[in-house]
């Protein structure tokens, strides 16, 4: 029987995504084209809500005053984490003192526009987005998919392991051991929670990383080795099956 240690190890569930995909924020004045808004929705004279739409601009803010706004780019078309997030994350700042403190700083920088304010505003917006995503994981209400796996007490350590070391030759027994489960139960739990078997998920993660690396200018051969394929040929076959075109075309994408 596999037993879990009495002391639970902390695993950073977002680190691999932040390392693989650039997170950037651009100031957007009072909201046009923005997907991150800090608003006053209660005529409170200050920030009351944070709204983040990972994949599109915030469209409807009736009855709310925009106090600060930014466009957040987290490699939306490439990043599987962004694809897994809900259409909208909305937080009442009265219930989130940590977010409220950052929101106050962002609004202040938006108003003052002092020297270096643009850089400070951007960095604060990046921090508040990471915290918003972290809180969405902590809620743990997603029924299936990547977020459900990252929120799962037993599965998230093996997901973090795959994310952080995709080139390793992972075996089901290794992953089951990290999750503290027997092999059969691990495969069943992983598949039901994530929506696909462990091996298929690992392949998809490797291919997702590969797309970003190809666009950064790395060669097909170098990318194949970096993400865990035995050869450039094996990588090209898997990539073409997944996307319907060869990796060399991805390398030419803007």
């Amino acid at each position: 029987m596999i037993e879990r240690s009495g002391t639970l190890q902390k695993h950073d569930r977002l680190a691999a995504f932040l390392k693989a995909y650039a997170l950037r924020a651009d100031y957007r004045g009072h909201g046009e084209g923005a997907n991150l808004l800090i608003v006053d929705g209660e005529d409170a004279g200050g920030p009351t809500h944070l709204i983040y739409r990972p994949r599109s601009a915030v469209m409807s803010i009736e009855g709310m005053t925009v106090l600060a706004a930014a466009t957040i780019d987290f490699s939306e078309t490439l990043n599987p984490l962004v694809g897994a997030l809900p259409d909208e994350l909305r937080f009442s700042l009265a219930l989130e003192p940590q977010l409220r403190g950052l929101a106050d700083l962002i609004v202040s920088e938006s108003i003052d526009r002092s020297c270096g304010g643009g850089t400070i505003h951007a960095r604060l917006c990046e921090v508040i987005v990471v915290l918003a995503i972290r809180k969405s994981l902590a809620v743990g209400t997603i029924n299936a998919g990547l977020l459900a796996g990252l929120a799962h007490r037993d599965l998230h350590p093996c997901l973090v392991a795959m994310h952080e070391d995709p080139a390793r030759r992972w075996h089901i027994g290794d992953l089951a051991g990290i999750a503290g489960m027997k092999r059969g139960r691990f495969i069943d739990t992983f598949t039901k929670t994530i929506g696909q078997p462990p091996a298929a998920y690992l392949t998809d993660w490797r291919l997702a990383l590969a797309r970003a690396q190809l666009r950064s200018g790395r060669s097909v051969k170098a990318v194949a080795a970096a993400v865990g394929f035995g050869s450039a040929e094996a990588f090209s076959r898997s990539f073409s099956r997944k996307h319907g075109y060869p990796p060399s075309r991805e390398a030419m994408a803007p």
Side-chain angles (χ1 to χ4, degrees):
M1 180 177 178
I2 299 173
E3 294 184 356
R4 181 182 295 278
S5 169
T7 302
L8 293 178
Q9 181 181 351
K10 293 283 189 178
H11 300 273
D12 190 333
R13 293 171 284 181
L14 297 179
F17 297 99
L18 291 165
K19 179 180 179 180
Y21 303 102
L23 173 61
R24 291 183 292 270
D26 291 313
Y27 177 69
R28 278 293 179 270
H30 289 289
E32 184 177 352
N35 61 342
L36 175 70
L37 298 179
I38 296 170
V39 301
D40 179 357
E42 301 168 2
D43 292 326
T48 62
H49 291 82
L50 172 72
I51 304 171
Y52 171 48
R53 290 183 64 87
R55 294 175 295 279
S56 63
V58 178
M59 301 300 293
S60 177
I61 53 170
E62 293 182 10
M64 298 184 177
T65 302
V66 176
L67 303 179
T71 296
I72 302 297
D73 180 1
F74 199 7
S75 303
E76 283 80 2
T77 60
L78 301 175
N79 188 343
L81 177 63
V82 174
L85 289 169
D87 290 337
E88 180 176 285
L89 301 179
R90 185 178 294 227
F91 298 92
S92 170
L93 297 177
L95 303 176
E96 302 289 350
Q98 188 179 40
L99 294 181
R100 173 60 195 260
L102 283 168
D104 285 336
L105 286 172
I106 292 169
V107 170
S108 176
E109 289 298 330
S110 298
I111 294 171
D112 294 342
R113 307 303 292 167
S114 300
C115 294
T119 298
I120 293 172
H121 182 277
R123 299 295 86 78
L124 289 173
C125 286
E126 290 164 8
V127 171
I128 209 168
V129 164
V130 174
L131 289 175
I133 295 173
R134 180 199 288 176
K135 289 181 182 297
S136 75
L137 291 178
V139 170
T141 58
I142 307 300
N143 292 324
L146 174 58
L147 291 189
L150 290 172
H152 194 286
R153 177 183 182 274
D154 297 322
L155 292 181
H156 83 262
C158 69
L159 282 171
V160 170
M162 286 190 280
H163 292 163
E164 294 186 343
D165 193 4
R168 177 173 168 176
R169 293 187 63 184
W170 288 105
H171 299 284
I172 293 297
D174 299 331
L175 297 170
I178 293 172
M181 299 180 188
K182 291 185 177 180
R183 179 188 174 98
R185 178 167 172 261
F186 168 71
I187 294 173
D188 183 62
T189 302
F190 190 103
T191 303
K192 287 179 178 177
T193 303
I194 309 297
Q196 60 185 151
Y201 178 82
L202 177 58
T203 297
D204 281 354
W205 171 243
R206 287 169 168 168
L207 293 175
L209 291 176
R211 289 187 70 199
Q213 292 189 25
L214 287 167
R215 290 196 181 191
S216 74
R218 301 190 71 185
S219 70
V220 170
K221 184 177 181 180
V223 170
V227 300
F229 285 88
S231 68
E233 292 75 16
F235 167 59
S236 295
R237 287 194 300 271
S238 185
F239 189 97
S240 297
R241 270 196 309 272
K242 175 72 175 179
H243 298 294
Y245 56 86
S248 56
R249 185 186 301 179
E250 189 73 52
M252 295 185 290

